[in-house]
Amino acid sequence: TTTTAFLGLGAMGFPMAGHLARAAQATGGRALVWNRSAHKAQAHTEQYGSQAVDLARCAQADVLLTCLPTSAQVDEVIAALEAHLRPGSLWVDCTSGHPEAGRAQRQRLAERGVTFLDAPVSGGTSGAEAGTLTVMLGGEAAEVEQARPHLAFAGKVVHVGGPGTGFAVKAINNVLLAANLWAAGEGLAVLARSGVNVAAALEVINASSGRSNASENLIGQRVVSREFPVTFALGLLAKDAGIALDVVESVKGSAPLLAQTLGLYRAAAQMIGEGEDHTAALRLIEQMNAREIA
Ligand code: NDP
C-alpha cells in the first residue's frame, strides 16, 4: 500500500488532500498531511480522516505532494525535509512554480534519489473540491506514469514535456486568464460609461466571439455581483504573470501584450491589495473610468 503526504493545506491544498484521503480509505493506503499552521492539518483530519504528522514523518512517505504559494516556499520545505528523505520516493509539486526553480529542485532532489515532477493544476477551488482539476506534468514519461495513480484530485492529466514545462504552461495559462479578464473589464467599463446595461452586454458577448471564462463566469459571479470572493489571490495571479514573462525572456520571445498584462496586474496588486480576489483587479479599471462594472 502507498503512503502519500500532502504539504500545504491552503485554498487548493485542503480539498486536494481531501481526495487523497478518500482514495487512501478506498485502497487501504495512508494519507498524511502537514501544514505550517497546524490547526488546518487538525481540521483536515477531522473532515477527511487524514493523518496530521510532523515534517520528518512526511519525508518517509512514498509520494510527497506540495501546494504552496511560490517555488520559494517549496525551497524552504525541501531544505527542512532534505536530511530525512527516502531514496526512491516521488515529489509531485502542485504549486504554480517557476520553471527554472523547478529544474533546480529536481536536480537537488535527484541527489537524494528522489524524483521531482512539476505538476501545477488549474480549475480553481471549485475544481479542487469537485476533484476535476487539470494537472500539467513536466518530467520523463515513465515518471509521469508513476505519478498518475496518485492524482485523485484530477479530472484531466496532461504530460506537457520535460522538467519545468508544466510550470511554464501554467504560467502562460494564467497570464491569458489575466489578459482576458482585464480586456473584458475595460470593454464593459466603457460600455457602462456609455449607458449600456452591463448584464445585457454580457449576454451578447457570451453568445458571441468576444467571450471567455472571464466573461462567462468570473465577471458575472464576482464583479457584477460585487462579491469578489477571495478564492485565488490577486498577488498570486500577478506572480504567475511574472513567471510567464520570465518564460518569454528565457527564450528571447516577443510578447508585448503579455508584458502589458504583467504591468497592469502588478499595479492592481499594489493599489487594490494582493490579498484581494484576482477579479478585484477590475476595481482599478472602475477607478480609471469612474464607473462600476455593474
Ligand atoms: P493559499 O494562500 O490559500 O495557501 C498557501 C499554503 O501555503 C498554506 O497552506 C500556507 O500555510 C502555506 N505556506 C505559505 N508559506 C509557507 C511557508 N513559508 N512554509 C510552509 N508553508 C507555507 O494559496 P492557494 O492554495 O490559493 O495557492 C497555492 C498554489 O496553487 C499557488 O501557487 C497558486 O498560484 C496555485 N493555484 C491556486 C488556485 C486558486 O484558485 N486558489 C488555482 C490553481 C493554482 P499557512 O496555512 O500556514 O498559511
Side-chain angles (χ1 to χ4, degrees):
T1 62
T2 305
T3 300
T4 61
F6 201 105
L7 299 90
L9 305 173
M12 293 298 287
F14 195 93
M16 287 167 73
H19 288 284
L20 294 187
R22 285 201 203 102
Q25 280 148 20
T27 60
R30 301 179 80 181
L32 313 178
V33 292
W34 176 85
N35 192 69
R36 179 181 61 176
S37 312
H39 67 93
K40 287 190 198 167
Q42 211 48 56
H44 200 273
T45 296
E46 281 158 27
Q47 190 168 334
Y48 295 108
S50 55
Q51 195 181 337
V53 296
D54 62 16
L55 266 182
R57 178 72 186 85
C58 288
Q60 299 302 307
D62 304 301
V63 185
L64 293 92
L65 301 100
T66 32
C67 190
L68 302 171
T70 74
S71 290
Q73 288 78 41
V74 178
D75 277 335
E76 285 177 28
V77 170
I78 290 175
L81 283 184
E82 209 163 24
H84 308 281
L85 287 169
R86 238 166 24 92
S89 54
L90 183 64
W91 189 309
V92 178
D93 184 23
C94 299
T95 304
S96 297
H98 196 293
E100 276 170 37
R103 285 188 280 267
Q105 288 158 346
R106 181 180 167 91
Q107 180 65 37
R108 179 175 178 182
L109 288 171
E111 287 162 19
R112 300 266 165 187
V114 175
T115 301
F116 176 95
L117 289 175
D118 47 311
V121 297
S122 65
T125 53
S126 60
E129 277 149 24
T132 56
L133 293 174
T134 297
V135 187
M136 49 217 92
L137 281 153
E140 305 298 331
E143 299 164 346
V144 167
E145 291 317 307
Q146 210 186 328
R148 227 179 253 277
H150 308 295
L151 307 175
F153 43 76
K156 189 187 225 356
V157 177
V158 183
H159 179 201
V160 293
T165 57
F167 288 156
V169 171
K170 175 64 186 174
I172 295 296
N173 176 75
N174 275 27
V175 77
L176 295 178
L177 152 66
N180 287 334
L181 177 61
W182 191 275
E186 285 189 4
L188 290 169
V190 166
L191 285 173
R193 270 185 76 88
S194 69
V196 172
N197 177 281
V198 168
L202 273 175
E203 191 180 345
V204 171
I205 290 164
N206 288 337
S208 307
S209 46
R211 70 184 180 276
S212 61
N213 181 57
S215 71
E216 289 181 312
N217 295 305
L218 296 175
I219 291 178
Q221 291 163 18
R222 298 179 183 224
V223 181
V224 176
S225 70
R226 311 313 289 165
E227 286 178 14
F228 304 101
V230 184
T231 68
F232 178 39
L234 178 51
L236 289 178
L237 184 54
K239 171 264 298 180
D240 291 335
I243 297 171
L245 265 293
D246 283 352
V247 171
V248 172
E249 191 52 35
S250 70
V251 295
K252 298 279 179 278
S254 177
L257 186 58
L258 303 187
Q260 287 276 23
T261 302
L262 170 59
L264 292 166
Y265 278 82
R266 282 206 178 131
Q270 292 282 351
M271 298 176 76
I272 304 299
E274 59 181 23
E276 297 295 321
D277 191 59
H278 63 302
T279 55
L282 271 54
R283 286 191 188 277
L284 183 54
I285 299 173
E286 294 179 335
Q287 289 172 23
M288 289 158 62
N289 287 282
R291 189 81 197 197
E292 274 193 5
I293 301 167

